[in-house]
Amino acid sequence: MDRKKFIKTGALAISGFYFLQSDVLRAAALKANRQTEKREAPVLIIGSGYGGAVSALRLCEAGKKVIMLEMGLNWEKAGIPFSNLLKPGKSAAWLKKKSIAPFMNIFSLTPFTGTLDRLDFDHINIWVGRGVGGGSLVNGGMAVTPKESYFREVFPDLDAEQFYSFYFPLVQKELKVNVIDEQFLQECPYYKFTRVGEEEAHKAGFKTIRVPNVYDFKYMEKEFRNEVPRSALNTEVIYGNNHGKNSLDKTYLRKALETGNLEILDLHHVQNMKLNDDKTYTVSAHHIDTSGNIIADKTFTCKKLILAAGTMGTLQLLLRSNAVNGFPLHEKVGKNWGNNGNFMTGRNWVKPLSGGTGSKQSTIPVGGVDNWEDKEHPFFTEIAPLPMGMDVATALYLLINRVEKKGEVAFDKTRDILTLKWDESNTVKMRENAKYFVRKMNTANGGTRSHFLFNNGFGADICYHPLGGCVLGEATDRYGKVKNHDNLYVLDGSLIPGTIGVNPFVTITAIAEYCIENLIRQNEFAL
Ligand code: FAE
């Protein structure tokens, strides 16, 4: 090594050593200053997404005092604005150094407890929401009621008539579901992608449907007229919406807080649960700051525990607690998991000579292709926006298929991670459907398979809708009480056996309403 190189390497090594030392010292200082706190709670809910929010409201209305632990931030309380797709900021990712959208991750970030997280497995990446409101903060707001025939097939033991006459209408009202005005849709330049998508689908012989949403379309019309601040028309969606979207913090959670019976503790990341001899639970959580540093170790002892941490969160808590302290588990926990048939695809060269799919796009999808009744190729697909700030003549689709082969979730104790038995064999039929759809669309309209967005045109590994693993009536009783337990309940997407045929939050909310109503009626929460 020459002298110059020696000095350079030595200097780097020394500065590296000091950096390392200062990191180690900072971590040690933080640990030494960490506070500990113990609390008692009659009813504890983990997670503030759909299942958690419904449970909180109905229990609070019934006069129960509820504490809710949420690992993500309370954005409204923090007063930090959400960032948009073209300028990702604090809200863009959960403690990551780079943006984590499904594509175009060219943005560097300072790690912050953002709203969107991605869980990476060998053959599938799963996106989830973090923050008070869970997935409702980051999702596209598509509020779709499943087809009754498929609901009956997926849940043969539920009273479908009661769901379609009572629970689905109830949640549509509570979630503030509405439909875009047809004239606005036809005239608004921000919906060219939907108009082109529908026109092309019709030309290819497909049936399209209008998709309801929780985004307030009257607000959107005002946005368009520049009467109010823009949100959906300003590329806000998967990193949160500053306006317009009726996320759970504006619906169920707000109502629950108004009862005075709910306390929400944000930035509380639950690590594991322990079953005590008197059948109560001790829940251990890290209270973190917005950089992810642990500032306090907290334990909560509760009589009744509701897991609503979302499919992956709930499975992580159950399986990890079992690995760490022998938490009792039923053999069906982790089984019957699915990606709701999620399969992304797209097309390039869509109407390149007539303005493509539009340079301006609303982030809120309102159209879909319904091919569910086709025996050979049953699927539903969302005509998704791609608001990139310029016309890229590209159409994006999120297909929802049947899940013919289910997956399985387990826990690897040595690596301390969840594992997922899921590979290309689980998505064979989904790929066939996507190929069929894209080929038919291209034959009728021109265009190519989208190599621009995906490797070879297909995103088999993109999942927004993880479902199952703690299935109603299998790992739980018929109302979500976990088998082998007296005081533990699961109320979230993990109750749905891996598939529901449409975007799932309306169903998750309805099932949670049904379960909590019956649990309260059975005096499960009489303390
Ligand atoms: P979820 O909403 O995920 O809430 C779980 C909460 O628990 C989260 O806030 C977590 O931070 C929290 N949590 C997890 N682990 C812990 C822990 N250890 N300690 C403390 N807190 C914890 O659960 N669905 C639709 O129906 N329509 C759509 O348009 C749509 N678009 C989507 C777009 C994107 C980008 C994504 C990611 C999802 C989308 N979904 C959509 C799916 C939907 O948001 C999801 O199915 C529901 O949010 C799941 O509801 P859960 O109540 O199961």
Side-chain angles (χ1 to χ4, degrees):
M1 191 187 288
D2 65 25
R3 189 171 168 272
K4 225 165 137 191
K5 205 167 171 192
F6 175 78
I7 293 172
K8 209 171 150 194
T9 317
L12 275 175
I14 290 167
S15 63
F17 174 73
Y18 277 114
F19 265 129
L20 200 74
Q21 229 192 9
S22 65
D23 268 1
V24 171
L25 287 176
R26 197 150 21 100
L30 275 171
K31 192 154 189 193
N33 289 333
R34 243 148 86 170
Q35 293 168 354
T36 52
E37 193 184 310
K38 285 192 173 148
R39 278 189 74 176
E40 305 256 321
V43 183
L44 197 69
I45 299 178
I46 304 176
S48 63
Y50 293 90
V54 169
S55 317
L57 174 60
R58 300 308 172 204
L59 285 166
C60 290
E61 282 176 340
K64 309 292 168 197
K65 289 278 180 203
V66 174
I67 293 184
M68 176 180 267
L69 303 180
E70 166 56 54
M71 67 191 271
L73 183 64
N74 186 336
W75 288 84
E76 199 175 349
K77 207 172 84 192
I80 301 171
F82 295 118
S83 48
N84 66 30
L85 279 169
L86 302 182
K87 227 177 158 191
K90 285 186 170 161
S91 70
W94 179 257
L95 299 170
K96 305 275 190 301
K97 289 187 175 158
K98 239 179 140 198
S99 58
I100 50 163
F103 15 76
M104 303 292 161
N105 287 308
I106 48 172
F107 302 97
S108 298
L109 301 170
T110 304
F112 194 85
T113 48
T115 53
L116 187 67
D117 200 359
R118 192 185 66 203
L119 314 173
D120 297 343
F121 296 89
D122 287 344
H123 300 277
I124 188 168
N125 300 317
I126 300 173
W127 279 263
V128 293
R130 304 262 176 247
V132 172
S136 77
L137 297 177
V138 300
N139 68 33
M142 293 174 74
V144 197
T145 303
K147 286 196 181 279
E148 190 169 339
S149 56
Y150 198 53
F151 181 83
R152 285 178 188 273
E153 191 181 321
V154 173
F155 288 112
D157 296 332
L158 292 182
D159 179 352
E161 244 163 63
Q162 195 189 24
F163 269 81
Y164 283 81
S165 64
F166 180 70
Y167 293 108
F168 286 128
L170 169 70
V171 308
Q172 278 157 359
K173 192 167 136 259
E174 295 284 7
L175 293 168
K176 303 197 173 166
V177 175
N178 68 152
V179 179
I180 193 167
D181 177 79
E182 209 57 33
Q183 196 181 337
F184 177 65
L185 167 58
Q186 292 310 325
E187 290 169 1
C188 181
Y190 288 78
Y191 275 108
K192 185 171 183 212
F193 76 96
T194 305
R195 296 195 296 272
V196 168
E198 292 181 348
E199 193 189 300
E200 289 195 330
H202 295 156
K203 210 166 156 200
F206 290 113
K207 188 177 101 189
T208 60
I209 54 163
R210 187 65 52 241
V211 180
N213 204 288
V214 298
Y215 197 92
D216 180 348
F217 287 110
K218 287 288 161 231
Y219 185 91
M220 195 189 285
E221 289 184 23
K222 288 188 195 151
E223 279 179 57
F224 182 57
R225 296 194 299 263
N226 284 321
E227 292 166 11
V228 290
R230 289 188 165 195
S231 185
L233 304 190
N234 183 31
T235 75
E236 289 177 4
V237 68
I238 56 171
Y239 310 143
N241 283 88
N242 288 303
H243 312 278
K245 199 209 274 180
N246 283 306
S247 43
L248 290 166
D249 48 324
K250 308 206 168 47
T251 57
Y252 275 96
L253 289 172
R254 182 170 291 173
K255 268 178 126 176
L257 284 167
E258 279 165 7
T259 64
N261 287 333
L262 175 65
E263 185 183 357
I264 303 179
L265 300 176
D266 67 337
L267 298 177
H268 279 62
H269 188 183
V270 176
Q271 301 298 302
N272 59 63
M273 302 102 52
K274 199 169 140 274
L275 174 64
N276 303 316
D277 292 341
D278 62 356
K279 296 189 175 174
T280 61
Y281 293 92
T282 300
V283 168
S284 307
H286 288 156
H287 183 190
I288 57 173
D289 64 19
T290 51
S291 304
N293 301 308
I294 305 167
I295 47 180
D297 292 294
K298 297 203 181 173
T299 50
F300 297 82
T301 305
C302 63
K303 292 198 173 125
K304 300 282 173 181
L305 178 58
I306 296 178
L307 301 181
T311 297
M312 305 316 290
T314 288
L315 290 172
Q316 159 99 6
L317 287 170
L318 286 167
L319 293 161
R320 186 164 191 265
S321 301
N322 174 261
V324 170
N325 64 37
F327 194 78
L329 277 194
H330 189 266
E331 63 195 26
K332 287 283 168 76
V333 170
K335 309 274 189 324
N336 218 348
W337 183 93
N339 69 345
N340 198 26
N342 282 188
F343 200 98
M344 264 208 190
T345 188
R347 293 167 49 237
N348 294 145
W349 303 108
V350 175
K351 299 214 178 298
L353 300 178
S354 54
T357 44
S359 57
K360 297 171 175 176
Q361 298 195 9
S362 166
T363 55
I364 298 299
V366 294
V369 173
D370 180 1
N371 206 49
W372 200 258
E373 305 308 333
D374 180 339
K375 294 255 176 310
E376 243 179 274
H377 298 288
F379 63 86
F380 166 76
T381 182
E382 161 186 345
I383 298 172
L386 193 62
M388 297 182 70
M390 58 183 159
D391 176 35
V392 285
T394 295
L396 178 66
Y397 308 97
L398 174 63
L399 265 77
I400 297 177
N401 299 274
R402 284 170 174 267
V403 181
E404 300 195 333
K405 185 178 170 194
K406 301 282 177 70
E408 208 175 305
V409 183
F411 194 79
D412 180 339
K413 196 174 171 180
T414 35
R415 291 190 293 157
D416 195 24
I417 53 164
L418 268 192
T419 57
L420 192 48
K421 204 165 152 195
W422 182 269
D423 58 30
E424 281 92 13
S425 69
N426 296 84
T427 54
V428 172
K429 183 68 192 168
M430 303 174 199
R431 182 178 293 271
E432 261 176 53
N433 284 351
K435 266 190 186 165
Y436 166 82
F437 172 65
V438 168
R439 201 182 305 127
K440 242 182 129 176
M441 290 291 274
N442 287 344
T443 308
N445 302 288
T448 62
R449 199 192 273 188
S450 180
H451 294 272
F452 163 61
L453 293 175
F454 308 102
N455 182 14
N456 213 12
F458 297 118
D461 55 352
I462 295 175
C463 174
Y464 285 174
H465 304 159
L467 296 173
C470 200
V471 169
L472 192 68
E474 293 179 12
T476 75
D477 77 355
R478 58 197 181 126
Y479 301 133
K481 183 169 174 170
V482 180
K483 288 187 178 164
N484 298 351
H485 286 265
D486 290 321
N487 297 308
L488 181 69
Y489 311 86
V490 164
L491 292 173
D492 61 16
S494 63
L495 292 174
I496 299 177
T499 168
I500 195 62
V502 291
N503 313 60
F505 74 61
V506 165
T507 311
I508 296 171
T509 314
I511 299 270
E513 286 278 16
Y514 160 79
C515 288
I516 198 72
E517 182 187 308
N518 283 288
L519 290 169
I520 293 172
R521 188 175 294 144
Q522 286 186 334
N523 281 331
E524 283 286 333
F525 292 91
L527 300 165

